[in-house]
Amino acid sequence: MPTGTPDVLLRTEGRAGFITLNRPRAINALTHAMVLAVDGALTDWEHDPAVTTVVVEGAGERGLCAGGDIRAIHDDARARGTASAAFWRDEYRLNARIARYPKPYVALMDGIVMGGGVGVSAHGSVRVVTERSRVAMPETGIGFVPDVGGTHLLGRAPGELGTHMALTGAVVGAVDALLTGLADAFVPSVELPFLARDLTDLAPEEALARHAASPPAGVLAEQRAWIDACYTAPTVEEIVERLFGSGVPAAKETAETLLGRSPAALKATLATLRRSRVLGSLEAVLDLEYRVSCAALTTPDLVEGIRAQVVDKDRDPHWTPATLAEVTEADVARYFAVPDGGDLGLAAGTPAPTTPSAPAGHGARGGA
């Protein structure tokens, strides 16, 4: 039977295997060791006929998972280390595995679900949100680019809603997570314990039928017209120009938000998202995102963005380059170069061998 770790609790009840991410003080931010523990549980339960459904949930009241442990990534980037690349290799493989898992994989996306938290939930076969759900890929705010298959998910959202979420890092609630394809069903948070109980002896669709409800109103459907009109522009500069010129107050506020994000990360994100749309498979997109993530690790903006948002918390990042106009095509092209340690190789079906490394250490709240 899977044994878990202090940060990943594993148990079986009836026909269900439960994975509880257990770092509540850090909103269950993922470490390398946690990724390996989740993957190990999936291996064991895949071949256990007594387990017919896997359920992932978060400990505490704040959320399922706030993302990767970005303090550890910050420290690794400053030291020019290799721990983050090793973490991403295993994390992205886990994301792909979740999407192809042969048994129902039910993610209870209550509370904060961001960055890596999306990776361990939104690729599942049954994604459940509540009125407390706050779902986002907020990477551009820390000088990073949406990863964990995020550009694959957002690239498939209706119209340009995914582009809007990827560039701005917008946080959405239940109905907008459903609209953009990041979730499948809404269940009131008070019903989650009862849903979990029913999942121990019922198929997920039967359990959901007992507890699913209509979600509260969202905002993206009403904003769809100006989002689609503005984000079809070919460049980030033109997107910002259209947002300012739309005459819609919410669009103008969005333009101002974009101007506060890392210019290099914005351009790399738009390029990654548009490449992801034509790649097709999640595995191919994860291969692409791995290149982009490794490149971001070497940029000054990732360290500066995490410093400003998480370490010093002054919310005053100084980006390099400082403006969109200063980010060249060559700057963007560097994000797509083969990393020094080689490609991920998921799409080829033969992941490159890796040298075992110590998991990234624990830190504070995640988001990447």
Side-chain angles (χ1 to χ4, degrees):
M1 293 294 296
T3 56
T5 71
D7 293 339
V8 177
L9 306 180
L10 305 174
R11 72 184 193 278
T12 57
E13 293 184 23
R15 297 161 54 185
F18 287 84
I19 299 171
T20 304
L21 306 180
N22 189 43
R23 295 183 67 210
R25 293 183 63 184
I27 320 181
N28 306 313
L30 294 171
T31 65
H32 197 165
M34 291 170 71
V35 165
L36 296 176
V38 172
D39 187 69
L42 294 183
T43 296
D44 289 337
W45 287 335
E46 180 176 345
H47 304 290
D48 185 348
V51 174
T52 60
T53 299
V54 173
V55 183
V56 62
E57 60 188 2
E61 297 295 321
R62 299 169 70 189
L64 171 65
C65 176
D69 190 336
I70 59 175
R71 275 189 180 267
I73 293 171
H74 171 269
D75 294 345
D76 186 48
R78 288 189 65 188
R80 299 185 181 277
T82 60
S84 297
F87 167 64
W88 289 325
R89 277 187 176 271
D90 288 326
E91 183 184 27
Y92 298 177
R93 288 171 178 162
L94 175 62
N95 301 147
R97 182 175 200 176
I98 289 168
R100 308 297 182 208
Y101 202 63
K103 297 181 179 182
Y105 180 101
V106 182
L108 304 182
M109 300 170 68
D110 186 41
I112 291 173
V113 185
M114 297 184 182
V118 173
V120 296
S121 59
H123 296 300
S125 52
V126 182
R127 295 87 49 89
V128 178
V129 285
T130 76
E131 78 284 354
R132 293 169 12 97
S133 295
R134 299 293 179 267
V135 185
M137 296 298 295
E139 285 77 8
T140 59
I142 58 166
F144 197 47
V145 176
D147 66 335
V148 298
T151 61
H152 176 75
L153 294 164
L154 296 178
R156 299 160 72 190
E160 296 295 328
L161 296 180
T163 310
H164 170 70
M165 289 184 63
L167 293 182
T168 63
V171 179
V172 302
V175 73
D176 289 327
L178 293 164
L179 173 64
T180 52
L182 298 174
D184 302 302
F186 171 82
V187 172
S189 59
V190 295
E191 290 288 312
L192 287 184
F194 306 106
L195 171 63
R197 178 199 62 196
D198 287 344
L199 286 167
T200 65
D201 61 9
L202 296 175
E205 59 270 20
E206 295 178 71
L208 277 174
R210 295 185 175 187
H211 304 285
S214 297
V219 298
L220 289 183
E222 294 182 0
Q223 298 177 340
R224 173 81 185 272
W226 63 260
I227 287 175
D228 284 357
C230 295
Y231 285 94
T232 53
T235 67
V236 178
E237 290 94 329
E238 291 178 68
I239 289 171
V240 171
E241 184 178 348
R242 288 189 188 185
L243 289 167
F244 274 125
S246 69
V248 179
K252 181 177 181 293
E253 292 174 8
T254 297
E256 292 167 347
T257 295
L258 289 177
L259 292 179
R261 302 292 189 250
S262 159
L266 286 176
K267 288 197 173 184
T269 295
L270 185 63
T272 304
L273 187 69
R274 290 181 171 169
R275 292 187 185 203
S276 295
R277 283 175 169 168
V278 300
L279 284 175
S281 75
L282 171 62
E283 287 80 3
V285 173
L286 287 166
D287 285 345
L288 177 70
E289 290 179 348
Y290 182 72
R291 289 188 175 193
V292 174
S293 297
C294 289
L297 194 66
T298 68
T299 67
D301 278 5
L302 181 58
V303 170
E304 173 62 9
I306 298 174
R307 179 208 64 77
Q309 298 297 332
V310 177
V311 180
D312 296 337
K313 299 182 180 180
D314 59 24
R315 308 293 191 266
D316 184 30
H318 297 276
W319 305 120
T320 305
T323 66
L324 289 167
E326 294 175 87
V327 181
T328 68
E329 291 184 7
D331 291 331
V332 176
R334 291 189 191 101
Y335 282 87
F336 303 102
V338 177
D340 289 341
D343 273 329
L344 186 59
L346 275 173
T350 53
T354 57
T355 301
S357 59
H362 291 188
R365 168 179 176 170

